[in-house]
Amino acid sequence: MSVLFTDPKSVPERDELFKIDGDGADLRPALEIRPPEDSAQTPPILSFKRKREIEIPWGDIFADIGVDGSAPTAALRAYFEDSWGFDLQEVAKSGKDGLANALLGGEQPKVMQLAGPEEAEVAKVVYRPNFDEPDEAGNPTPEPLHQGFVIRHGSSGRVYLILQSGLTADHFKTAEHYETAWRDHIEGAELVFEDAGDVKYFTDFEEIDLRPAIIRRRFEELEILERFATSVKTNVNSITDKLIAKIVETTLDPDELEELQRRSLRLEIGEYDAKRRKERLAHQASSLGYRLPLVEETVPIPGAAAKKLQPGELYIPFRRTARWITQYTTTRRVRSGWWIFARTKTKKVTRKAYHEKLITDYTQVDTSKDLLSDKRKELLEDDMETYVFEQRPEGFATADGTPLALIMDRCGFDEDFRRRCVVMLPVYENSMLGDRLVAKYSIFKRPLPGILPSILPRLSIEESLSYRTAWKETRLGELVSSINLAPGEERTVTMTKIFEQETAVTRSSTSIFDITRSETTDLASEMENMTRQEGEQSSNLQFSAKASGSYGFASAEATASGGTTHSLKDVSQAIGKVAKKAAKSVSQQNREEVTSTATSRTKITNTDETTATISNI
């Protein structure tokens, strides 16, 4: 038999291939092969994610709404010019130096050029907050700026450092150069301060995290859901037995039994679903840096009592160094005295061992505190005006209906109010019951609107793609091969599959040794060595001997002395040889190259045999 995966439209009908004589009802089910699963339930054999960017036609969008999107600093320019309260075009027409006097003149000029530190008598210095080197209170330190241009906001009096390239004072003297400055040279503005003590009034940001309380509440909701599902599961078992007995006694309807099974399973699965959601909640808490035990856990602490983590409570893990002391007592036998007076005594010795280990400990999170009220009380003690907003259909507004835009506009033109203002914006999450809960508050101290030009928003889409191979349809095809058996004949068929894999790994390594030696001796050194050699060969030996003796009436006596001396008379003759020898230098270079090659072969053979016995009955 052969299974063909082809287009169903090109395959002939079954009745055209197989002619069934008589009643073929018993044979028809054997001629149809059903796919095991629906194609939608087939697991993917390949899945991956990809991210791609979608091009947004900002040019067409700006053209439709009538906005010029070619100049990114147009809004920044309008922000300062609107605050000055006069028309620059009319001022430029008033006289030759009208624009220069309006921008560069007066006690508080609108645009001011900073002088360098070498011109201290006329130097104008502004200060930028340095967050990399804060003071003891955590506030930024002032960083003086001596170069560049400063632009002043008219209504509030704030000053900003112009982010520019190639800007000069001449760009603020004529209308033509002024247009060129905003088009080609000015890139943005950065808030700075004229007084070093004012850098602490820079915009600051922090968060109040309310998610521990939300996690605690969700855990309690899941606890209630699990208890309810357990109670339902207990009652469903007894009720299901009664319904099954009733159906068996009356109708024996398979569809009714299948529907009862489906409903019972749906009710019993509730307990399992609640446990899975609790595990997912614990995993989410772990991703936020918290530990949420689902059952009571015991954490061993070296040198101290073990800490028990209660289910449903939130803990923050931290690393600390644990130090403890252990004492142990040993028995020693001490021998004292001498000879027959020696005695052996048993002595106990107590010793201490000091241990130190880096461990993970846990501290419990107090979710009963009202962090928002505590923060507002802290800010009130610092003479700050706090505005807590909530999201409404018309936008963010306070409890008394003050919109966020009104507060930001007042911060824009009133610098004293901005330095006392604190804006709290909520961040929402949905609960299990569908309610919107505040997960955290974003706190903006001394807020300011953004004045730095940024790139236009981009849109990216993350796609999840998967490929599946599904059994779409099967039909009986043509016969591939057959085995002919006589009546009562039996034959054994063996099918053998052999898999072989051979792997060859070749390693080659080369080592090079390169040695260079150079030796040179100068004339003075050779003369010194030669002179030392001649001095060592010079010697002087003196000896004397005396002998006397008598033989009968005759006597004799002899005395002798002698010596050898070798002088340094040949030194002058060797100087020529020494000079010739010193002019030579010895240079030697050795190069050795070694190459080694090793080959390793691995062969794997796997044989699978299947034996079947076929008989014709």
Side-chain angles (χ1 to χ4, degrees):
M1 183 183 67
S2 173
V3 179
L4 301 179
F5 295 89
T6 57
D7 187 3
K9 297 181 180 180
S10 62
V11 179
E13 297 295 334
R14 183 191 59 218
D15 294 339
E16 299 178 3
L17 296 176
F18 302 94
K19 300 299 182 180
I20 302 176
D21 297 333
D23 188 6
D26 297 336
L27 184 58
R28 285 186 182 278
L31 299 179
E32 296 180 355
I33 302 179
R34 298 179 180 179
E37 293 288 346
D38 187 10
S39 59
Q41 304 296 329
T42 305
I45 60 174
L46 176 63
S47 61
F48 62 92
K49 293 183 179 180
R50 69 177 182 182
K51 184 182 293 184
R52 60 188 181 93
E53 183 177 352
I54 297 179
E55 182 179 358
I56 302 177
W58 288 112
D60 299 338
I61 296 176
F62 288 142
D64 293 340
I65 62 178
V67 175
D68 184 11
S70 59
T73 57
L76 183 62
R77 175 181 176 179
Y79 176 73
F80 288 104
E81 292 181 354
D82 293 343
S83 68
W84 292 337
F86 55 84
D87 190 357
L88 290 179
Q89 299 295 332
E90 297 296 332
V91 172
K93 296 177 182 179
S94 62
K96 179 179 180 181
D97 298 329
L99 184 62
N101 294 331
L103 296 179
L104 303 176
E107 295 181 359
Q108 288 188 344
K110 304 299 183 292
V111 178
M112 179 175 53
Q113 184 176 9
L114 302 178
E118 65 277 359
E119 304 174 5
E121 64 277 3
V122 294
K124 178 62 180 177
V125 182
V126 294
Y127 298 91
R128 169 195 290 160
N130 186 1
F131 296 96
D132 297 332
E133 299 178 1
D135 56 12
E136 297 179 355
N139 297 321
T141 55
E143 177 184 351
L145 300 175
H146 303 277
Q147 300 290 339
F149 288 85
V150 170
I151 188 170
R152 185 183 303 275
H153 188 260
S155 57
S156 65
R158 290 186 297 270
V159 292
Y160 296 84
L161 178 68
I162 298 178
L163 306 179
Q164 48 83 24
S165 61
L167 191 65
T168 63
D170 295 336
H171 287 97
F172 301 98
K173 295 181 179 180
T174 63
E176 182 180 358
H177 288 94
Y178 182 75
E179 294 290 338
T180 305
W182 281 105
R183 185 180 65 250
D184 300 332
H185 300 283
I186 298 179
E187 301 173 356
E190 177 186 356
L191 179 64
V192 292
F193 299 91
E194 295 181 284
D195 190 355
D198 291 343
V199 295
K200 62 182 179 181
Y201 297 117
F202 200 85
T203 301
D204 195 8
F205 170 78
E206 62 178 296
E207 286 184 344
I208 298 180
D209 193 359
L210 304 179
R211 288 175 294 185
I214 295 179
I215 294 175
R216 174 68 179 172
R217 175 175 175 175
R218 287 186 177 179
F219 181 84
E220 294 177 353
E221 292 175 353
L222 290 175
E223 282 283 299
I224 297 174
L225 179 62
E226 184 179 1
R227 288 195 297 267
F228 175 77
T230 303
S231 177
V232 170
K233 178 181 177 180
T234 303
N235 296 326
V236 163
N237 292 331
S238 59
I239 296 176
T240 302
D241 295 338
K242 296 179 182 180
L243 292 177
I244 292 176
K246 181 179 179 181
I247 294 174
V248 171
E249 292 175 358
T250 57
T251 61
L252 284 178
D253 188 359
D255 295 336
E256 191 174 353
L257 287 173
E258 185 176 353
E259 179 66 19
L260 176 61
Q261 179 184 7
R262 184 175 59 83
R263 292 183 177 181
S264 301
L265 181 61
R266 184 186 304 172
L267 293 175
E268 292 185 6
I269 207 67
E271 181 182 11
Y272 171 76
D273 183 59
K275 292 180 179 180
R276 288 293 301 272
R277 296 174 73 173
K278 288 171 62 177
E279 294 176 357
R280 192 179 304 114
L281 180 63
H283 179 72
Q284 293 174 354
S286 176
S287 63
L288 296 176
Y290 300 101
R291 175 75 177 273
L292 177 64
L294 301 180
V295 295
E296 186 178 15
E297 300 180 6
T298 302
V299 179
I301 304 296
K307 178 174 291 186
K308 292 186 178 181
L309 306 183
Q310 300 300 325
E313 298 292 339
L314 275 179
Y315 298 88
I316 298 178
F318 64 95
R319 304 280 286 177
R320 69 177 180 89
T321 302
R323 298 179 177 88
W324 71 96
I325 302 174
T326 58
Q327 296 183 354
Y328 58 93
T329 302
T330 59
T331 303
R332 298 179 57 187
R333 298 178 64 85
V334 181
R335 184 178 179 85
S336 61
W338 179 75
W339 199 27
I340 61 175
F341 303 101
R343 295 183 179 180
T344 303
K345 295 189 298 182
T346 301
K347 183 179 180 181
K348 293 184 178 181
V349 180
T350 302
R351 297 186 178 181
K352 294 182 179 181
Y354 297 88
H355 306 277
E356 182 176 319
K357 185 179 181 181
L358 187 65
I359 64 172
T360 301
D361 203 348
Y362 298 90
T363 179
Q364 186 174 352
V365 180
D366 188 3
T367 57
S368 61
K369 291 184 177 180
D370 190 351
L371 300 180
L372 180 61
S373 298
D374 294 344
K375 190 63 179 180
R376 295 186 65 180
K377 182 179 179 181
E378 176 186 345
L379 294 173
L380 183 61
E381 294 175 354
D382 295 338
D383 297 331
M384 304 292 287
E385 297 185 18
T386 306
Y387 297 89
V388 181
F389 290 87
E390 59 185 20
Q391 191 173 15
R392 298 181 178 181
E394 62 274 10
F396 285 101
T398 59
D400 57 359
T402 304
L404 176 61
L406 181 61
I407 299 297
M408 294 303 300
D409 289 342
R410 185 176 177 185
C411 290
F413 65 82
D414 189 351
E415 178 64 10
D416 294 334
F417 174 77
R418 185 193 73 86
R419 295 185 177 186
R420 302 190 314 270
C421 179
V422 178
V423 173
M424 294 186 176
L425 299 180
V427 179
Y428 294 96
E429 288 187 4
N430 294 327
S431 67
M432 293 179 55
L433 302 178
D435 301 333
R436 296 181 63 195
L437 301 178
V438 180
K440 56 185 177 180
Y441 275 96
S442 299
I443 303 176
F444 299 90
K445 299 179 181 179
R446 301 172 291 274
L448 269 180
I451 58 173
L452 293 177
S454 59
I455 62 174
L456 296 174
R458 297 180 300 175
L459 179 61
S460 298
I461 295 180
E462 184 178 10
E463 299 176 329
S464 179
L465 305 178
S466 62
Y467 292 89
R468 304 170 184 267
T469 299
W471 190 349
K472 183 178 180 181
E473 188 181 40
T474 57
R475 291 195 179 189
L476 293 176
E478 298 180 358
L479 184 64
V480 177
S481 61
S482 62
I483 299 177
N484 300 323
L485 298 177
E489 183 182 357
E490 184 176 286
R491 186 178 301 179
T492 301
V493 179
T494 301
M495 292 172 287
T496 304
K497 295 181 179 179
I498 300 177
F499 172 78
E500 292 185 358
Q501 180 180 1
E502 182 176 352
T503 304
V505 179
T506 303
R507 297 181 177 90
S508 178
S509 61
T510 302
S511 178
I512 298 177
F513 301 92
D514 197 347
I515 303 175
T516 302
R517 182 175 65 88
S518 178
E519 179 180 351
T520 304
T521 307
D522 59 356
L523 179 59
S525 299
E526 283 295 334
M527 289 182 64
E528 181 183 355
N529 296 336
M530 189 63 186
T531 304
R532 186 180 297 113
Q533 287 180 353
E534 294 294 339
E536 290 175 354
Q537 292 175 2
S538 175
S539 63
N540 188 5
L541 179 61
Q542 299 289 337
F543 65 90
S544 63
K546 183 178 182 181
S548 64
S550 62
Y551 184 74
F553 60 91
S555 62
E557 181 178 354
T559 300
S561 64
T564 62
T565 301
H566 183 73
S567 64
L568 302 178
K569 61 182 179 179
D570 294 335
V571 174
S572 61
Q573 299 175 2
I575 290 180
K577 297 180 181 180
V578 172
K580 185 176 181 181
K581 180 181 178 181
K584 297 181 179 179
S585 62
V586 180
S587 178
Q588 180 181 0
Q589 182 175 3
N590 296 334
R591 181 179 178 88
E592 182 179 355
E593 182 174 346
V594 179
T595 302
S596 60
T597 303
T599 302
S600 175
R601 293 182 178 274
T602 304
K603 185 175 182 180
I604 301 175
T605 303
N606 185 15
T607 304
D608 185 11
E609 291 188 358
T610 303
T611 303
T613 302
I614 305 174
S615 59
N616 187 1
I617 59 175

